[in-house]
Amino acid sequence: MVRCLCLSGGSSERNKIHEINDYGQENAVLYSEDDVVLGTSLEGFGSVCSLPGTKGFNQDSAILHLGYGGGGGGALCGVFDGHGDNGHCVSKIARNQLPAVLLGNMNTWPTRQWKRICHDTFSAVDKKILNLKKTLDCSCSGTTAVLAVTRGEELMVANLGDSRAVLIRANEKGEAKALQLTNDLKPSVPSEAERIRKRNGRVLALEAEPHIQRVWLPFQDYPGLAMSRALGDFVLKNYGVIEFPDVSTHRITHHDRFLVLASDGVWDVLSNEEVAKVVMGKERDDGAAANAGAEAAAEAWRLKFPAAKVDDISVVCLSLNKRL
């Protein structure tokens, strides 16, 4: 049995940074507050699923930690989409390290300072990845990250890159409504491109794929990163690619049913509304919600892009308005 991080807060021992393999090497993991690995679903509370694409290693990692922070009612969700030769390693390092670093910072700063807490956390984890450079080259490898923490009715979301968080609500008729909580942070976003160009990075699309803007070094035609923020990717950190996430806070209401986090392998082929419909269809069997969302995305890839290589697909679904 793999042991979970002790996240009940308080002493420095409880908040220390544990070994990289504390959450194991599976692509998708779910933990409860009793430190036991439960698999990938827990009926009534949430589920997590990660499906490999057809490009090689599954570079995604995902986590749902129920009981995060102690007290029984909190939860942490995260999806990490790796890229580059060592992206599958970087996404797991981020997934395994971020929860403990975040908790330590939560105990240092009032939670109303979520932006500072998250910026400190992501910066610290980025440095940890950099310190592995003798054994793991991450100059052109990295990961996106979308992270969410619930504490009672409070919801905090931090986003780095082009994975996405969506809140699914039910209206008076029980129909699913999707509210996107994050912005996809890509070089095509004018404010992101402006920051990169001010640091002398280049933002250009390849002739063969004019719809995808990428980040390049000033005088060399690499690495061509398709997102504007990431953990890792150290060759571009002096040219405007940053490790600081966008952070937002929200209040959970009685209309809210699910929080969905997913990698771009989902959002490239399904709209927010399509995902909301699939997930709400599992409201009475919410332990299957993440798997249903992932399978719907995989089927959409086969139908829309039959000749293309399928991206890795990861989904976390947290049921809201339910208590442990």
Side-chain angles (χ1 to χ4, degrees):
M1 180 184 297
V2 180
R3 296 288 288 179
C4 166
L5 293 174
C6 182
L7 296 174
S8 55
S11 71
S12 59
E13 173 64 22
R14 286 172 175 170
N15 292 328
K16 72 179 183 180
I17 307 307
H18 293 245
E19 294 299 320
I20 288 172
N21 63 357
D22 276 341
Y23 280 109
Q25 296 303 314
E26 296 297 325
N27 293 87
V29 294
L30 184 152
Y31 286 85
S32 77
E33 61 183 358
D34 62 3
D35 287 359
V36 178
V37 179
L38 295 173
T40 57
S41 68
L42 184 61
E43 186 176 353
F45 301 107
S47 53
V48 55
C49 179
S50 186
L51 301 178
T54 57
K55 297 180 179 181
F57 287 114
N58 184 352
Q59 294 192 304
D60 285 2
S61 295
I63 184 171
L64 171 55
H65 188 124
L66 300 168
Y68 179 77
L76 175 142
C77 315
V79 169
F80 307 87
D81 183 354
H83 52 263
D85 291 344
N86 291 318
H88 58 296
C89 298
V90 183
S91 69
K92 287 186 174 63
I93 293 169
R95 190 269 315 277
N96 294 350
Q97 293 279 2
L98 266 167
V101 181
L102 177 65
L103 187 68
N105 288 330
M106 286 167 59
N107 289 339
T108 301
W109 297 99
T111 53
R112 65 179 180 273
Q113 298 186 28
W114 275 118
K115 182 176 181 179
R116 183 167 187 173
I117 290 169
C118 291
H119 280 205
D120 287 352
T121 298
F122 278 66
S123 180
V125 173
D126 203 46
K127 288 181 174 64
K128 287 181 176 294
I129 297 168
L130 177 61
N131 288 339
L132 296 172
K133 59 186 177 182
K134 291 184 179 180
T135 56
L136 187 69
D137 180 9
C138 295
S139 57
C140 295
S141 296
T143 187
T144 68
V146 61
L147 192 75
V149 174
T150 64
R151 304 182 86 184
E153 296 178 348
E154 185 179 19
L155 167 63
M156 183 283 298
V157 178
N159 181 49
L160 189 78
D162 57 359
S163 293
R164 189 181 299 174
V166 172
L167 189 65
I168 299 176
R169 291 174 167 168
N171 62 17
E172 290 74 10
K173 297 180 180 179
E175 298 167 334
K177 300 294 182 182
L179 174 63
Q180 186 170 324
L181 301 181
T182 57
N183 296 313
D184 298 344
L185 298 171
K186 300 181 179 183
S188 56
V189 177
S191 59
E192 297 291 290
E194 181 182 7
R195 184 190 65 247
I196 291 165
R197 288 175 175 139
K198 282 183 176 178
R199 298 291 301 273
N200 295 320
R202 291 184 297 148
V203 176
L204 298 168
L206 295 171
E207 185 176 344
E209 45 181 27
H211 59 293
I212 301 177
Q213 297 291 310
R214 297 179 180 275
V215 186
W216 311 86
L217 288 171
F219 304 110
Q220 295 174 281
D221 291 335
Y222 84 97
L225 184 66
M227 63 279 309
S228 55
R229 305 190 192 194
L231 295 169
D233 295 297
F234 296 110
V235 74
L236 289 172
K237 283 293 165 65
N238 289 329
Y239 300 100
V241 172
I242 59 176
E243 71 275 19
F244 300 113
D246 266 357
V247 180
S248 59
T249 58
H250 311 270
R251 182 68 59 182
I252 299 170
T253 74
H254 68 279
H255 295 293
D256 301 327
R257 296 293 184 265
F258 288 96
L259 174 67
V260 176
L261 275 59
S263 59
D264 66 341
V266 172
W267 311 115
D268 283 348
V269 291
L270 294 177
S271 68
N272 296 342
E273 290 71 24
E274 287 171 328
V275 171
K277 185 176 180 180
V278 170
V279 171
M280 280 293 286
K282 296 295 182 180
E283 189 172 18
R284 294 186 179 182
D285 183 22
D286 45 16
N291 187 69
E295 291 289 353
E299 179 64 16
W301 273 97
R302 289 189 286 267
L303 293 175
K304 294 181 178 181
F305 307 109
K309 290 186 177 180
V310 178
D311 200 0
D312 302 323
I313 295 168
S314 294
V315 180
V316 178
C317 289
L318 175 66
S319 300
L320 303 173
N321 289 306
K322 296 181 180 180
R323 296 177 179 270
L324 287 174

